[in-house]
Every structure is written in structure tokens, then in C-alpha cells.
Amino acid sequence: KAGVTQTPRYLIKTRGQQVTLSCSPISGHRSVSWYQQTPGQGLQFLFEYFSETQRNKGNFPGRFSGRQFSNSRSEMNVSTLELGDSALYLCASSAGQGADQPQHFGDGTRLSIL
Amino acid sequence: AQKVTQAQTEISVVEKEDVTLDCVYETRDTTYYLFWYKQPPSGELVFLIRRNSFDEQNEISGRYSWNFQKSTSSFNFTITASQVVDSAVYFCALSPYTGANSKLTFGKGITLSVRP
């Protein structure tokens, strides 16, 4: 069974640009969550989608947005990039909502802002 | 609000030593889940264990064991006879138990280095 796939693996952008990251969950998984990992703040929850609806949102500015498609694939978008957005962005999928379904993570997209 | 504290930031041991990674959590929920994840240099978070708050039985899986003590809000992880392949960053995490909220709150992580 293929794991969670995130593309691209690495991305370099400049301040002010926008970026879109993609996540394909494990087949059959309907819930997708996104996390940001930085050396200073650690792992922080961004948002969670289930059945194309955002179910939960972390404390991030509106520049961070996401969506989920009918095939459960998800994208997150960051607009007007800032230096502080440099991070590893991790996507996780689970079979259903709620923590009774463990989240399985992808390898992440490493975003660098110049 | 939920909080996970991993007071140890870096641990270095020699292969075959036993090592315990500490995790202390705070939550107002009466029921919740606790997790441990491993992050090797490749970046992927690997799920190790999930424990619900009403099951305080300790668990052993091969060289790994977990000690959950609700009275002290701790969920410690012990690796017995450590190996070089155990070198990674280990995260403890907490999530609500009820409802549709599966948001994970992570600790800062512990970097474990196992030397040959």
C-alpha cells in the first residue's frame, strides 16, 4: 500500500511569491491534515480536511489556506511568502475523523524562502 | 489548552545502552490520546504507538516499551539495547479523544544519537 505522497519534495521561492503544495493520502483515507515544522516553533497544526470540508484550523494567518478534492487529495497554498514561512510542511492522512484513526505522515515538502 | 513537554532536547548513548525518553503533558480533557512518533533524517514522521487515556497498561513491542502514568501526566518511552538505527528525533503528541478533532499537539522533540 503506497504511503502519503507529498510533492514537490523541495521548493525555493522568494518573498512575496505564492506557493502550492500537494498531498496524496493513502488510498482509502479521507482525512488529511497539514503541519508546519520549524526549528523554533516545532511541529504546529495548520488545518484538517475531511470530505472536502475544513474541519479544524490552527493559529495561522489567512495567507495559509487549503482545500481537499473529491478524491481526498489535498493542496495547501501560502500567499505573499515571508522569510518565516521557510519550513518543512508535513501532510498526514487517516482513515476517518477523530484521533481513533492514527495519522500517517508523508516525507514533507521543504520550503525555503530567499 | 493542550501542551506537551519533552524536557530532554538531545540524548547521546552508546549502542546497546538502554535509554528513556520523557514526555509530560497537560490537558483539561478527561479523555485523550497520546502518541509517539519517530522522525529519521528523511523527514517522514513514523507512527510508533497510540495510547488512550483510560488504558494505563504499559506496553512492550520488541525493544520498545511505554510507561503511561496518568497520576503524573507522563508517557515515557524506553528503548532497550539501543541500536544505531534508532538515531532519530522522537516526538510525543497529544490529541482530543472525542469528536471529530484529531489535531495533534506535539512536543519539541528529543534528538537521540546512538553511537557505535
Side-chain angles (χ1 to χ4, degrees):
Chain A
K1 201 175 187 181
V4 177
T5 304
Q6 292 188 245
T7 57
R9 287 296 310 277
Y10 303 93
L11 206 48
I12 299 175
K13 292 286 187 179
T14 56
R15 279 181 299 175
Q17 287 186 309
Q18 75 164 21
V19 67
T20 299
L21 311 182
S22 179
C23 172
S24 293
I26 291 172
S27 178
H29 283 191
R30 297 170 61 194
S31 175
V32 173
S33 297
W34 289 88
Y35 293 83
Q36 181 197 63
Q37 185 177 20
T38 60
Q41 299 299 318
L43 277 154
Q44 293 184 287
F45 172 78
L46 278 158
F47 24 66
E48 176 190 8
Y49 288 87
F50 182 82
S51 294
E52 303 178 64
T53 302
Q54 188 180 90
R55 301 289 180 166
N56 214 353
K57 190 176 190 305
N59 295 324
F60 278 82
R63 299 186 297 107
F64 292 81
S65 63
R67 58 178 175 168
Q68 185 180 36
F69 302 95
S70 58
N71 62 358
S72 295
R73 191 177 70 85
S74 177
E75 290 181 347
M76 69 163 279
N77 185 78
V78 188
S79 61
T80 319
L81 286 165
E82 301 176 359
L83 291 177
D85 297 334
S86 294
L88 178 67
Y89 290 88
L90 290 162
C91 168
S93 76
S94 59
Q97 293 180 267
D100 62 324
Q101 304 286 342
Q103 295 182 34
H104 299 271
F105 285 79
D107 289 341
T109 294
R110 189 166 295 280
L111 174 63
S112 299
I113 311 301
L114 303 179
Chain B
Q2 301 193 320
K3 184 179 178 182
V4 176
T5 301
Q6 295 181 265
Q8 305 150 310
T9 53
E10 294 184 22
I11 300 176
S12 181
V13 299
V14 176
E15 207 170 18
K16 297 184 183 175
E17 281 186 27
D18 297 347
V19 58
T20 295
L21 311 181
D22 297 333
C23 173
V24 174
Y25 62 92
E26 296 174 33
T27 179
R28 292 178 184 169
D29 296 334
T30 54
T31 53
Y32 45 87
Y33 281 109
L34 292 162
F35 301 79
W36 275 94
Y37 281 88
K38 172 183 179 179
Q39 187 175 41
S42 61
E44 177 186 2
L45 278 169
V46 178
F47 168 78
L48 295 177
I49 189 173
R50 181 192 67 202
R51 174 51 50 85
N52 60 49
S53 55
F54 47 82
D55 181 3
E56 289 194 65
Q57 273 192 323
N58 291 332
E59 183 157 342
I60 298 174
S61 176
R63 296 184 297 107
Y64 295 169
S65 62
W66 291 270
N67 180 275
F68 174 36
Q69 293 198 342
K70 207 167 180 178
S71 59
T72 56
S73 297
S74 65
F75 186 43
N76 297 336
F77 172 29
T78 297
I79 302 174
T80 303
S82 60
Q83 300 176 1
V84 173
V85 293
D86 295 327
S87 297
V89 182
Y90 290 85
F91 292 93
C92 180
L94 170 69
S95 81
Y97 180 83
T98 56
N101 188 350
S102 62
K103 168 190 168 183
L104 287 167
T105 298
F106 286 90
K108 294 290 190 184
I110 302 170
T111 300
L112 174 64
S113 299
V114 181
R115 309 187 306 275

